[in-house]
Amino acid sequence: MLSPFPPSTSAPGTGIVKLALRPPNQPVFETLTFSYPLKLVVSAPHNLSHSFSSKSEAPTLTPSSVALLFLLTYGGGLVSGDHIHLSISLAPSARLTIATQGSTKIYKPPLLAPCTSTSSSSITPITRQDLNVKIAANAALWLGPDPCQPFAFSRYAQTQIFEVDVRGGGSLGLVDWVSEGRSARGEKWEFEGWRGRNEVWDVSSSASSLRRAQSSGIAGEERTEKKNRLVLRDSLILTSPHLASRVDGLGIFGTVILIGPLLSPLANFFTEEFMLLPRIGARDWNAHDKPQATASTDTVPTEAERREQWRKKRQEREKKDGILWTAANVRGAVVVKFGAWEVEGAK
């Protein structure tokens, strides 16, 4: 029986998202397409109560809200051999948040016939997920999915490439994390392989070529040259065997990448708090000789004292949850690496 619907022109697992601002300042999805097993669901946007303008010479629009898009897969995960390819483009001043409704499960392959000539890893299909993002001037993207959960014997590889107009005020924030698997079933890093790579490129227009274009009276779009500059490339490779014995009891690993003016307060928070973490050799051995000020119950603590109390409680909670983390500034981007015993503790 012939189908009454026209044949699909997109490859399986392909998605395209284009977000722009319509006058006066309303974010609109100009393009939103996807095919099985990928599914994209638009949710209610988050209205902005106050505006934030990045430090840019040219006047910019301020969006009225932040669009919210859920990245889903049928069945809550990817079957062995699935390939997802998603392209996202944000027009100038557009802002988008991408989330998931749960962990992305990487299912194990079906039972294969016994093979004595080759290893099981050579015949296990790889599940792949590729993401390509373009962020224009003054646009911003927050990519905050739940952790990837690879099942035992699964193989997974992902590549995420972000092209950001950094000089134009583009901003990017992402969380990329992977768990040990189905801990309720006793799985402890029993997948065959997990590979992830994140690349952030600065695609800002060259200032010298822009001046030449303005002086010659030719449209900037035609004469302005863009020089791609690699800001950072972060890779994580987890392979068997005996991976569980090498992770010191941690049940989750993750990376946070922050770049751009919209996320600079959060980036500064991580770097400042990391510098204040207790360190070996940082103890002041003469502290017991110094007079200690006694706090009165009637006095109201200062803002610095309240923040210090909060910091001590947070550090105690991190110790209880087995959280380890570090932060570094890499070419204007802040990279945070973290690990924890469980997913809830990492959250």
Side-chain angles (χ1 to χ4, degrees):
M1 180 178 178
L2 296 178
S3 173
F5 302 101
S8 175
T9 59
S10 60
T14 301
I16 300 176
V17 178
K18 294 183 179 180
L19 182 66
L21 282 185
R22 293 281 179 84
N25 55 359
Q26 185 67 28
V28 175
F29 287 97
E30 291 185 335
T31 303
L32 184 65
T33 62
F34 57 89
S35 58
Y36 179 90
L38 175 64
K39 187 175 184 180
L40 304 174
V41 177
V42 178
S43 184
H46 174 71
N47 295 325
L48 296 176
S49 57
H50 60 278
S51 62
F52 180 94
S53 59
S54 58
K55 297 179 180 179
S56 177
E57 296 179 356
T60 60
L61 293 174
T62 300
S64 61
S65 58
V66 178
L68 175 59
L69 181 67
F70 282 93
L71 175 62
L72 311 176
T73 52
Y74 291 88
L78 298 175
V79 179
S80 178
D82 281 346
H83 187 183
I84 298 295
H85 182 82
L86 179 60
S87 298
I88 300 174
S89 178
L90 302 185
S93 300
R95 299 178 187 176
L96 175 64
T97 296
I98 297 180
T100 58
Q101 291 183 329
S103 61
T104 301
K105 301 172 181 60
I106 310 300
Y107 294 106
K108 63 180 181 180
L111 296 177
L112 302 174
C115 184
T116 57
S117 60
T118 58
S119 62
S120 60
S121 62
S122 62
I123 57 179
T124 302
I126 299 178
T127 303
R128 298 183 181 275
Q129 190 164 223
D130 297 326
L131 176 64
N132 291 275
V133 180
K134 295 183 178 180
I135 303 175
N138 297 294
L141 170 67
W142 175 259
L143 179 61
D146 287 281
C148 180
Q149 186 182 30
F151 288 10
F153 310 112
S154 64
R155 300 178 70 194
Y156 177 78
Q158 76 171 24
T159 301
Q160 301 185 138
I161 300 177
F162 304 89
E163 298 180 1
V164 187
D165 189 347
V166 178
R167 293 184 183 177
S171 300
L172 167 68
L174 71 96
V175 182
D176 183 19
W177 46 340
V178 55
S179 68
E180 61 189 351
R182 294 173 292 181
S183 56
R185 296 176 61 92
E187 294 182 0
K188 301 289 185 182
W189 307 102
E190 297 178 10
F191 47 84
E192 289 193 6
W194 192 97
R195 295 172 178 264
R197 185 174 86 247
N198 295 307
E199 293 183 5
V200 179
W201 292 81
D202 181 5
V203 295
S204 304
S205 300
S206 173
S208 58
S209 61
L210 179 60
R211 286 193 297 268
R212 290 197 304 268
Q214 293 174 346
S215 61
S216 60
I218 301 178
E221 291 81 359
E222 300 177 0
R223 292 292 305 273
T224 301
E225 299 176 0
K226 288 188 176 182
K227 295 183 178 180
N228 295 357
R229 179 180 70 96
L230 179 63
V231 178
L232 66 90
R233 178 183 288 121
D234 178 80
S235 298
L236 176 63
I237 301 176
L238 302 174
T239 57
S240 296
H242 312 301
L243 180 60
S245 62
R246 294 181 287 161
V247 298
D248 196 26
L250 295 178
I252 190 165
F253 290 114
T255 302
V256 177
I257 298 177
L258 305 169
I259 186 172
L262 275 175
L263 294 168
S264 60
L266 181 59
N268 295 335
F269 167 81
F270 276 111
T271 55
E272 292 171 1
E273 290 298 320
F274 177 70
M275 295 300 296
L276 295 174
L277 286 177
R279 285 171 171 76
I280 297 176
R283 178 179 176 182
D284 186 358
W285 294 97
N286 295 323
H288 64 279
D289 297 333
K290 299 179 181 179
Q292 301 292 332
T294 58
S296 174
T297 57
D298 298 333
T299 59
V300 178
T302 63
E303 179 64 25
E305 292 174 342
R306 287 195 298 267
R307 188 170 183 82
E308 184 62 28
Q309 294 174 0
W310 168 85
R311 183 176 294 111
K312 290 182 178 179
K313 291 181 179 179
R314 193 208 73 221
Q315 293 175 357
E316 292 175 357
R317 187 168 62 251
E318 290 178 356
K319 183 177 180 180
K320 181 180 178 180
D321 293 331
I323 297 178
L324 301 174
W325 67 282
T326 181
N329 195 311
V330 181
R331 298 180 183 177
V334 171
V335 180
V336 180
K337 292 285 186 177
F338 66 91
W341 292 336
E342 297 179 355
V343 175
E344 292 303 320
K347 289 181 177 180

